[in-house]
Amino acid sequence: MANYTQSIQNLMNQLASLPGIGARSAERIAFHLLKQSPEEAMKLADAIRDVKTRIRYCSVCFNLTEQDPCIICASPTREQGLVCVVEQPKDLLALESTGLYNGVYHVLLGRIAPLEESHPDDLTIGALIKRLESGQVREVIMGTNPTVDGDGTALYIQNLIAERFPQVQVTRLARGLPAGSNIEYANKNILADAISGRQKM
Ligand SMILES: [Zn+2]
């Protein structure tokens, strides 16, 4: 079988390196792009360039942002003493969509998952501890997913905080969230109940 030219092969390799895209899908997408007009196809390249040059992590909470600190951290109406810890920026967006939370966030950029080789040092826990050292935080809400790894991550952080900052209250989102589910897919009402019904850990 003849090989594709190097540039087509390169495109397929790049596509196949994306999560959830196997060799077959990569081939299909590559040929789709080849069929498109240059203007159409370049929209994808432009979108990638845009996010990589304009979007970064907030230096305070690790939310994705175009300005640093992000608008949530910079907001004078947000309660800076109330910090909700979530796994990913998409969890933050889900909680924000309720419109009911007026604190700030801390995005871990992952969870502790020993089987996936994801350890505490891979997360932004060190930066969270620094925020607590400032003395301005009075409550940390553990908003990690109600999964085995999410619960384990919450417990790990709760222990750290209890040891070093006993004056900081640690709460967990209420159990309206079905066990094993993901915050990003929960509906607004359930999330709103989970925030208002949070319980002390
Ligand atoms: Zn921020």
Side-chain angles (χ1 to χ4, degrees), residues 25-38:
S25 303
E27 190 177 53
R28 204 164 53 236
I29 296 168
F31 278 96
H32 174 77
L33 290 167
L34 284 166
K35 261 195 301 184
Q36 284 186 318
S37 69

Side-chain angles (χ1 to χ4, degrees), residues 60-188:
V60 179
C61 73
F62 296 87
N63 183 20
L64 291 169
T65 182
E66 291 195 16
Q67 65 176 66
D68 189 22
C70 72
I71 49 171
I72 295 174
C73 288
S75 166
T77 62
R78 289 282 184 152
E79 205 186 318
Q80 301 289 331
L82 183 60
V83 177
C84 183
V85 174
V86 295
E87 294 178 22
Q88 299 289 355
K90 58 195 172 187
D91 301 323
L92 180 159
L93 291 178
L95 289 165
E96 275 300 281
S97 74
T98 65
L100 283 175
Y101 179 64
N102 196 40
V104 292
Y105 295 90
H106 192 86
V107 184
L108 294 171
L109 300 178
R111 60 187 183 281
I112 301 170
L115 295 178
E116 295 162 27
E117 297 282 317
S118 175
H119 305 292
D121 287 349
D122 301 323
L123 310 179
T124 64
I125 295 173
L128 174 65
I129 297 301
K130 282 220 174 73
R131 290 178 79 177
L132 296 178
E133 281 170 353
S134 76
Q136 287 175 355
V137 178
R138 60 169 181 81
E139 178 179 346
V140 173
I141 304 171
M142 296 310 310
T144 50
N145 285 313
T147 59
V148 172
D149 288 339
D151 285 341
T153 305
L155 201 60
Y156 177 89
I157 294 173
Q158 188 234 344
N159 284 333
L160 265 187
I161 295 175
E163 230 171 68
R164 297 192 47 189
F165 309 97
Q167 76 284 7
V168 175
Q169 168 146 264
V170 184
T171 53
R172 184 88 169 102
L173 289 182
R175 286 298 179 173
L177 294 166
S181 67
N182 279 299
I183 287 171
E184 62 176 304
Y185 303 126
N187 79 38
K188 282 184 198 177

